[in-house]
Amino acid sequence: MQEVKIYDTTLRDGTQAEDFNLSLSDKIRIALKLDEFGIHYIEGGWPGSNPKDRGFFEEIRNYQFKQAQIAAFGATHHPMKTPVNDANLKELLKAQTPVVTIFGKSWTVHVKDALHTTLERNLEIIRDSLAYLRPQAKTLFYDAEHFFDGFRADRDYALATLEKAVEGGAECLVLCDTNGGNLPGAIREIMAVVKERFPGMPLGIHAHNDADLAVANSLAAVEMGAVQVQGTFNGVGERCGNANLCSIIANLCLKMNVPCVPPEKLQKLRETSRFILELANVPPNRYQPYVGRSAFAHKGGVHISAVERNPRTYEHIDPSLVGNRRRFLVSDLSGRATIKRKAEEFGINLSSSDPVALEVLNEIKQMEHEGFQFEAAEASLELLINKAMGSSKRYFELIGFRVVDQKLSEDDEPVSEATIRVRVGGQVEHTAALGLGPVNALDNALRKALEKFYPELREMELSDYKVRVLPGRDGTASRVRVLIESHDPRGHWGTVGVSHDILEASWQALVDSVNYKMYKDEKGLNGES
Ligand SMILES: CC(=O)SCCNC(=O)CCNC(=O)[C@H](O)C(C)(C)COP(=O)(O)OP(=O)(O)OC[C@H]1O[C@@H](n2cnc3c(N)ncnc32)[C@H](O)[C@@H]1OP(=O)(O)O
Ligand SMILES: CC(=O)C(=O)O
């Protein structure tokens, strides 16, 4: 199949997503990352829209790109203006990008109701806008907004808009499913008509995800001969998003054998996806196909037992091809094979026929029934398996703790204070500490008591603390589950506690976290549990 060029619009259409915002320097860093990954075109923004986007185009000129070409995006000229006096078109040229992309109206409803002009005038606008840009634009693309909806409403008119774009000098006609409501069958049928009408003209696709079909529609367009696919990393974009390039690129390379990015770059897919989310401060979707944390996570005991024997039984590709990894989750859906596999991951030799494996399995099932969850608390799980194997070490013993929360008046912030007594070896340590809230006070007091014996605890920090009220009892009498995530310079790990008492649940998770830190340091492990 013919090579498909990937046109990334994360920096433009991506930023039209709710809660997805990028600074100018984020945009530059993402553009460089996309270039490194092997993307062909990077749409940097709309220079006629705002100073940040104009700043982007000024600054990006100072960087050398390996193969990516930067595109500036904008609309055809305003109906009441001519191309020469249209500020938007002028800004597009001032951006001095190797690629200019403009969108125009294909749908009669849009021409009349959104643009407030006549069908005839819109045809002129399209042709004249492109013709004005043509002499100065090295590469000129035309995004036919709402093309599929427009075609269904008035096929001849929609095709006439493309004629005008070709007359104006467009080098690629990018057909857009702007409202994201079309089905792959419609994309195929309409692409077939356009292909016949414009033989030899490169076609592209720009699909939105409102019917959850943007990826399928983009791939259908490629099957019909599209040579350019527009989309965004992680599928961010206006409303429900744009076609997700992570899935499109992986599917083109691994399922359709269509060359798009260099094969060796595919292993950077997950890293690139994460990099962009990190800069936008958006939490990753763990269920995202190919690149999500759960994309190759196996939970059902039957699945794990089979994947152990042959990964192909429950994996559609080798996760390493896209830079992801296989994970085995322990839960009340596990079997002995899961425990054996998990123990192996922790460097513990435990056969699935060993009675300890069954003992651990039953204990986990009982604990999960009580509200524990080990998927995000693998450090607690590792300690539990060690204990069952008789190889756990007790680093300290609690003699007792007391936590006091005092609010002296309505206007005062509450003050939390914890006192704790622990025994380490033969020595008893008695300390007190204040904190921002009772859990923090308890954490501070415990560390203060232990740091004298275990100075490495100073480099450990809690990075996340989550409380979840478990169903079953009413209101404040409910059981709660506390999940704590901790880290040190070498890794991070999760621990869990469950109780009717939020402090007790926090204490359990806290103790596991401290014990795990000392255990992993002793074993020379990096964490990541
Ligand atoms: C399908 C897409 O995703 S297209 C990209 C959408 N992205 C954005 O809108 C983000 C950037 N947009 C902006 O910064 C602003 O909307 C601007 C600068 C472009 C325009 O701002 P304003 O001039 O204040 O207009 P406003 O946003 O209120 O309305 C849009 C204008 O664009 C016009 N317009 C819309 N599409 C087109 C088009 N294809 N060609 C020419 N004009 C168009 C509308 O008719 C309207 O002008 P009017 O009010 O004079 O009739
Ligand atoms: C051009 C564009 O962003 C769209 O039609 O969705």
Side-chain angles (χ1 to χ4, degrees), residues 13 146 149 177-183 206-215 217 235 237-243:
D13 220 344
H146 294 103
D149 296 326
D177 182 20
T178 309
N179 289 3
N182 282 278
L183 304 181
H206 174 117
H208 278 264
N209 203 33
D210 303 65
D212 209 8
L213 287 168
V215 169
N217 285 342
E238 186 95 33
R239 302 182 310 277
C240 308
N242 284 60

Side-chain angles (χ1 to χ4, degrees), residues 308-345:
E308 272 274 84
R309 292 168 189 170
N310 179 355
R312 283 179 61 210
T313 51
Y314 285 100
E315 283 174 1
H316 70 126
I317 58 151
D318 174 352
S320 67
L321 292 173
V322 289
N324 209 338
R325 72 180 179 94
R326 177 175 308 133
R327 293 167 60 236
F328 293 105
L329 309 176
V330 173
S331 73
D332 55 357
L333 301 178
S334 301
R336 281 165 300 128
T338 316
I339 305 302
K340 171 199 167 251
R341 184 64 182 78
K342 211 69 218 182
E344 203 172 284
E345 255 178 47

Side-chain angles (χ1 to χ4, degrees), residues 26 115 141 216 227 297 347 375 426 527:
D26 292 337
L115 206 52
F141 294 148
V227 290
E375 287 167 50

Side-chain angles (χ1 to χ4, degrees), residues 73-113:
F73 176 87
T76 48
H77 75 78
H78 193 275
M80 307 303 282
K81 302 223 167 101
T82 61
V84 221
N85 64 19
D86 185 86
N88 173 49
L89 291 189
K90 277 197 196 133
E91 287 297 343
L92 276 169
L93 291 178
K94 264 169 63 189
Q96 294 176 32
T97 50
V99 178
V100 174
T101 303
I102 58 165
F103 77 96
K105 304 289 189 197
S106 329
W107 188 5
T108 47
V109 167
H110 254 267
V111 177
K112 292 175 194 158
D113 297 347

